[in-house]
Amino acid sequence: MAVGTIVAVGAGAVGAVVLVPLALGAAGFTSAGVAAGSVAAKMMATTAVANGGGVAAGSLVAVLQSAGAAGLSGVASAAVATAGGAVGWLGSLIRKP
């Protein structure tokens, strides 16, 4: 495996683990709960309406809020790093003309 590929995979993995919590916070999934007027609040309202007034445990909104409040678990961090590494690897396949 070429050095450039290794660097791209590593950067993708580390970048994803660092950026996902920031993206969750920016979307409104915070440690203090869902931020009013945010994308997270809109998602939660839509989910609640669709489910008759509540947000079901295990739903996308519930999982994202949990990650926003408590941070990523070890398993979630590994999954995010794997996805980021895969994106980095795919990016390393792009050849410049």
Side-chain angles (χ1 to χ4, degrees):
M1 188 179 291
V3 173
T5 302
I6 293 169
V7 170
V9 169
V14 171
V17 170
V18 169
L19 292 176
V20 164
L22 295 175
L24 286 171
F29 295 103
T30 70
S31 59
V34 173
S38 66
V39 171
K42 291 177 182 130
M43 288 176 66
M44 182 170 264
T46 301
T47 302
V49 168
N51 289 321
V55 175
S59 68
L60 177 63
V61 173
V63 170
L64 292 175
Q65 179 51 40
S66 176
L72 297 176
S73 67
V75 171
S77 292
V80 167
T82 299
V87 170
W89 174 74
L90 289 171
S92 74
L93 298 177
I94 299 171
R95 301 282 182 228
K96 294 181 181 177

